[in-house]
Amino acid sequence: AMLNDERITAWTSFFPYPYTLEDAHKWIREAARRQEDGTGLYFGVWHRESGAMVGEAHFEILPDRLTAKLGGVASPWFWGKRFAEEATVAFIDYAFDQLGIKLLVARTVTSNLSAQRVINIIGFTPLGEQQVTLSNGTNTPVYYYELTPEAWA
């Protein structure tokens, strides 16, 4: 249900709308393949008290094995409650401490002010802006960011 929400898919390049059961199966197969071949890690983010799924976070690990793209989505029912910030901090710690990642990159649609707030609070360095095609087929500008272990320390 979380991913079949146009408020989420309007800001992603990887989840279509409407999000069908077949889309979910395809995403799970792709995530399993990436996890198996070492090019990705995928995590559910869960609410401690209720056990509800708050969102998902993932790393796309690039061929150099030292760089990863950080991505994820948060359920609209939990927006504004700082779960994305808390989860992102945990994932960054994991990337640098456990995976040995030397550079994290992230991007956000320029209109997604909440994601920009999280990225800026955490300390990512802005790199610039480019156009991308979202899952709904529209071209939109996105901001790119990076974070190193030295800047994180």
Coordinates of all heavy atoms in Angstrom, one line a residue, residues 37-83:
D37 N 24.5 -10.4 -5.7 CA 25.7 -10.1 -6.4 C 26.6 -9.0 -5.8 O 27.6 -8.6 -6.4 CB 25.5 -9.9 -7.9 CG 24.7 -8.6 -8.2 OD1 24.7 -7.7 -7.4 OD2 24.2 -8.5 -9.4
G38 N 26.1 -8.5 -4.7 CA 26.9 -7.4 -4.0 C 26.7 -6.0 -4.5 O 27.5 -5.2 -4.1
T39 N 25.8 -5.8 -5.4 CA 25.6 -4.4 -5.9 C 24.5 -3.6 -5.3 O 24.2 -2.5 -5.6 CB 25.3 -4.5 -7.5 OG1 24.1 -5.2 -7.7 CG2 26.5 -5.1 -8.2
G40 N 23.9 -4.2 -4.2 CA 22.8 -3.5 -3.5 C 22.5 -4.1 -2.2 O 22.7 -5.3 -2.0
L41 N 22.0 -3.3 -1.3 CA 21.5 -3.7 0.0 C 20.2 -3.0 0.2 O 20.1 -1.8 0.0 CB 22.5 -3.4 1.1 CG 23.8 -4.2 1.2 CD1 24.7 -3.6 2.3 CD2 23.5 -5.6 1.5
Y42 N 19.2 -3.8 0.7 CA 17.8 -3.2 0.9 C 17.3 -3.5 2.3 O 17.5 -4.6 2.8 CB 16.9 -3.9 -0.2 CG 17.3 -3.5 -1.6 CD1 18.3 -4.2 -2.2 CD2 16.7 -2.5 -2.2 CE1 18.7 -3.8 -3.5 CE2 17.1 -2.1 -3.5 CZ 18.1 -2.8 -4.1 OH 18.5 -2.4 -5.4
F43 N 16.7 -2.5 2.9 CA 16.3 -2.6 4.3 C 14.9 -2.1 4.4 O 14.6 -1.0 3.8 CB 17.2 -1.8 5.2 CG 18.6 -2.2 5.2 CD1 19.5 -1.6 4.3 CD2 19.1 -3.2 6.0 CE1 20.8 -1.9 4.2 CE2 20.5 -3.5 6.0 CZ 21.3 -2.9 5.1
G44 N 14.1 -2.7 5.2 CA 12.8 -2.1 5.6 C 13.0 -1.3 6.9 O 13.9 -1.6 7.7
V45 N 12.3 -0.2 7.0 CA 12.4 0.7 8.2 C 11.1 0.5 8.9 O 10.0 0.7 8.3 CB 12.6 2.1 7.7 CG1 12.7 3.0 9.0 CG2 13.9 2.3 6.9
W46 N 11.2 0.1 10.2 CA 10.0 -0.2 11.0 C 9.8 0.7 12.2 O 10.8 1.1 12.8 CB 10.1 -1.7 11.4 CG 10.3 -2.6 10.3 CD1 11.5 -3.0 9.8 CD2 9.3 -3.2 9.4 NE1 11.3 -3.8 8.7 CE2 10.0 -3.9 8.4 CE3 7.9 -3.1 9.4 CZ2 9.3 -4.6 7.4 CZ3 7.3 -3.8 8.4 CH2 8.0 -4.6 7.4
H47 N 8.6 1.0 12.5 CA 8.2 1.8 13.7 C 8.4 0.9 14.9 O 7.9 -0.2 15.0 CB 6.8 2.3 13.6 CG 6.4 3.3 14.6 ND1 5.8 2.9 15.8 CD2 6.5 4.6 14.7 CE1 5.6 3.9 16.5 NE2 6.0 5.0 15.9
R48 N 9.2 1.4 15.9 CA 9.5 0.6 17.1 C 8.3 0.2 17.9 O 8.2 -1.0 18.3 CB 10.4 1.4 18.0 CG 11.8 1.4 17.5 CD 12.8 2.1 18.6 NE 14.1 2.3 18.1 CZ 14.5 3.5 17.7 NH1 13.8 4.5 17.9 NH2 15.7 3.6 17.2
E49 N 7.4 1.1 18.1 CA 6.2 0.8 19.0 C 5.1 0.0 18.3 O 4.7 -1.0 18.8 CB 5.6 2.0 19.6 CG 6.4 2.7 20.7 CD 7.4 3.7 20.2 OE1 7.1 4.4 19.2 OE2 8.6 3.8 20.7
S50 N 4.8 0.4 17.1 CA 3.6 -0.3 16.4 C 4.0 -1.4 15.5 O 3.2 -2.3 15.2 CB 2.9 0.8 15.5 OG 3.7 1.1 14.4
G51 N 5.3 -1.5 15.1 CA 5.7 -2.5 14.2 C 5.3 -2.2 12.7 O 5.6 -3.0 11.8
A52 N 4.7 -1.1 12.5 CA 4.3 -0.7 11.1 C 5.6 -0.4 10.3 O 6.6 0.2 10.8 CB 3.4 0.5 11.2
M53 N 5.5 -0.7 9.0 CA 6.6 -0.3 8.1 C 6.5 1.2 7.8 O 5.5 1.7 7.4 CB 6.5 -1.1 6.8 CG 7.7 -0.9 5.9 SD 7.6 -1.9 4.4 CE 9.3 -1.7 3.9
V54 N 7.6 1.8 8.1 CA 7.7 3.3 8.0 C 8.3 3.6 6.6 O 7.9 4.7 6.0 CB 8.7 3.9 9.0 CG1 8.9 5.3 8.8 CG2 8.1 3.6 10.4
G55 N 9.1 2.8 6.0 CA 9.7 3.0 4.7 C 10.7 2.0 4.3 O 10.7 0.9 4.9
E56 N 11.5 2.3 3.3 CA 12.6 1.4 2.9 C 13.8 2.3 2.6 O 13.6 3.4 2.3 CB 12.2 0.6 1.7 CG 12.1 1.3 0.4 CD 13.4 1.5 -0.4 OE1 14.3 0.7 -0.2 OE2 13.5 2.4 -1.1
A57 N 14.9 1.7 2.8 CA 16.2 2.4 2.5 C 17.1 1.4 1.7 O 17.0 0.2 2.0 CB 16.9 2.9 3.7
H58 N 17.9 1.9 0.8 CA 18.8 1.0 0.1 C 20.0 1.7 -0.3 O 20.1 2.9 -0.4 CB 18.0 0.4 -1.1 CG 17.6 1.5 -2.1 ND1 16.3 2.1 -2.0 CD2 18.2 2.1 -3.1 CE1 16.2 3.0 -3.0 NE2 17.4 3.0 -3.7
F59 N 21.0 0.8 -0.5 CA 22.3 1.3 -1.1 C 22.4 0.6 -2.5 O 22.2 -0.6 -2.6 CB 23.5 0.8 -0.3 CG 23.6 1.3 1.1 CD1 23.5 0.5 2.2 CD2 23.7 2.7 1.3 CE1 23.6 1.0 3.5 CE2 23.8 3.2 2.6 CZ 23.7 2.4 3.7
E60 N 22.8 1.3 -3.5 CA 23.3 0.8 -4.7 C 24.8 0.9 -4.7 O 25.3 2.0 -4.7 CB 22.7 1.6 -5.9 CG 23.2 1.1 -7.3 CD 22.7 1.9 -8.4 OE1 21.7 2.6 -8.3 OE2 23.4 1.8 -9.5
I61 N 25.5 -0.2 -4.6 CA 26.9 -0.2 -4.5 C 27.5 -0.2 -5.9 O 27.2 -1.1 -6.7 CB 27.4 -1.4 -3.7 CG1 26.7 -1.3 -2.3 CG2 28.9 -1.5 -3.6 CD1 26.9 -2.5 -1.4
L62 N 28.4 0.8 -6.2 CA 28.9 1.0 -7.5 C 30.1 0.0 -7.7 O 30.6 -0.6 -6.8 CB 29.3 2.4 -7.7 CG 28.2 3.4 -7.6 CD1 28.6 4.8 -7.9 CD2 27.0 3.0 -8.4
P63 N 30.5 -0.2 -9.0 CA 31.5 -1.2 -9.3 C 32.9 -1.1 -8.5 O 33.5 -2.0 -8.3 CB 31.7 -1.1 -10.8 CG 30.4 -0.6 -11.3 CD 29.9 0.4 -10.2
D64 N 33.2 0.2 -8.1 CA 34.5 0.3 -7.4 C 34.4 -0.2 -6.0 O 35.4 -0.4 -5.3 CB 34.9 1.8 -7.4 CG 34.0 2.7 -6.6 OD1 33.0 2.2 -5.9 OD2 34.3 3.9 -6.6
R65 N 33.2 -0.6 -5.5 CA 32.9 -1.1 -4.2 C 33.2 -0.1 -3.0 O 33.2 -0.5 -1.9 CB 33.6 -2.4 -3.9 CG 33.3 -3.5 -4.9 CD 31.9 -4.1 -4.6 NE 31.7 -5.3 -5.4 CZ 30.5 -5.6 -5.9 NH1 29.5 -4.8 -5.8 NH2 30.4 -6.7 -6.6
L66 N 33.6 1.1 -3.4 CA 33.9 2.1 -2.4 C 32.9 3.2 -2.4 O 32.9 4.1 -1.5 CB 35.3 2.7 -2.6 CG 36.5 1.7 -2.6 CD1 37.8 2.4 -3.0 CD2 36.6 1.1 -1.2
T67 N 32.0 3.2 -3.4 CA 31.0 4.3 -3.6 C 29.6 3.6 -3.5 O 29.4 2.6 -4.1 CB 31.2 5.0 -4.9 OG1 32.5 5.5 -5.0 CG2 30.2 6.2 -5.0
A68 N 28.7 4.3 -2.9 CA 27.3 3.8 -2.8 C 26.3 4.9 -3.0 O 26.6 6.0 -2.5 CB 27.0 3.0 -1.5
K69 N 25.2 4.7 -3.7 CA 24.1 5.6 -3.8 C 23.1 5.3 -2.7 O 22.7 4.1 -2.6 CB 23.4 5.5 -5.1 CG 24.3 5.9 -6.3 CD 23.5 5.8 -7.6 CE 24.3 6.1 -8.8 NZ 23.5 5.9 -10.0
L70 N 22.8 6.2 -1.9 CA 21.8 6.1 -0.8 C 20.4 6.4 -1.3 O 20.3 7.5 -2.0 CB 22.2 6.9 0.4 CG 21.2 7.0 1.5 CD1 21.1 5.6 2.2 CD2 21.7 8.0 2.5
G71 N 19.4 5.6 -1.1 CA 18.1 5.9 -1.6 C 17.1 5.4 -0.6 O 17.4 4.6 0.3
G72 N 15.8 5.8 -0.8 CA 14.8 5.2 0.0 C 13.5 6.1 -0.1 O 13.5 7.1 -0.7
V73 N 12.5 5.6 0.6 CA 11.2 6.3 0.6 C 10.6 6.1 2.0 O 10.9 5.1 2.7 CB 10.2 5.8 -0.4 CG1 10.7 6.0 -1.8 CG2 9.9 4.3 -0.3
A74 N 9.8 7.1 2.4 CA 9.1 7.0 3.7 C 7.6 7.0 3.4 O 7.2 7.7 2.6 CB 9.5 8.2 4.6
S75 N 6.9 6.2 4.2 CA 5.4 6.2 4.1 C 4.8 7.6 4.4 O 5.2 8.2 5.4 CB 4.9 5.2 5.0 OG 3.5 5.3 5.1
P76 N 3.9 8.1 3.6 CA 3.3 9.4 3.9 C 2.7 9.5 5.2 O 2.6 10.6 5.8 CB 2.3 9.5 2.8 CG 2.7 8.7 1.6 CD 3.5 7.5 2.3
W77 N 2.2 8.4 5.8 CA 1.6 8.4 7.1 C 2.6 8.7 8.2 O 2.2 9.0 9.3 CB 0.9 7.0 7.4 CG -0.1 6.7 6.4 CD1 -1.3 7.2 6.2 CD2 0.1 5.8 5.2 NE1 -1.9 6.7 5.1 CE2 -1.1 5.8 4.5 CE3 1.2 5.0 4.8 CZ2 -1.2 5.1 3.3 CZ3 1.0 4.3 3.6 CH2 -0.2 4.3 2.9
F78 N 3.9 8.6 7.9 CA 4.9 8.9 8.9 C 5.8 10.2 8.5 O 6.7 10.4 9.2 CB 5.8 7.7 9.1 CG 5.1 6.5 9.7 CD1 4.6 5.5 8.9 CD2 4.9 6.5 11.1 CE1 3.9 4.4 9.5 CE2 4.3 5.4 11.7 CZ 3.8 4.4 10.9
W79 N 5.4 10.9 7.5 CA 6.1 12.1 7.1 C 6.0 13.1 8.3 O 5.1 13.2 9.0 CB 5.5 12.7 5.9 CG 5.8 12.0 4.6 CD1 6.6 10.9 4.5 CD2 5.3 12.2 3.3 NE1 6.6 10.4 3.2 CE2 5.8 11.3 2.4 CE3 4.4 13.2 2.8 CZ2 5.5 11.2 1.1 CZ3 4.1 13.2 1.5 CH2 4.7 12.2 0.6
G80 N 7.1 13.8 8.5 CA 7.2 14.9 9.5 C 7.5 14.4 10.9 O 7.4 15.2 11.8
K81 N 7.8 13.1 11.0 CA 8.0 12.6 12.4 C 9.5 12.2 12.6 O 9.8 11.5 13.6 CB 7.1 11.4 12.6 CG 5.6 11.8 12.6 CD 4.7 10.6 12.9 CE 3.3 10.9 13.1 NZ 2.6 11.6 12.1
R82 N 10.3 12.6 11.7 CA 11.8 12.4 11.8 C 12.3 11.0 11.7 O 13.5 10.7 12.0 CB 12.3 13.1 13.1 CG 11.9 14.6 13.2 CD 12.6 15.3 14.3 NE 14.0 15.5 13.9 CZ 14.6 16.7 13.8 NH1 13.9 17.7 14.0 NH2 15.8 16.8 13.4
F83 N 11.5 10.1 11.2 CA 11.9 8.7 11.0 C 12.9 8.6 9.9 O 13.9 7.9 10.0 CB 10.7 7.8 10.6 CG 9.8 7.6 11.8 CD1 8.5 8.0 11.7 CD2 10.2 6.9 12.9 CE1 7.6 7.8 12.8 CE2 9.4 6.7 14.0 CZ 8.1 7.2 13.9

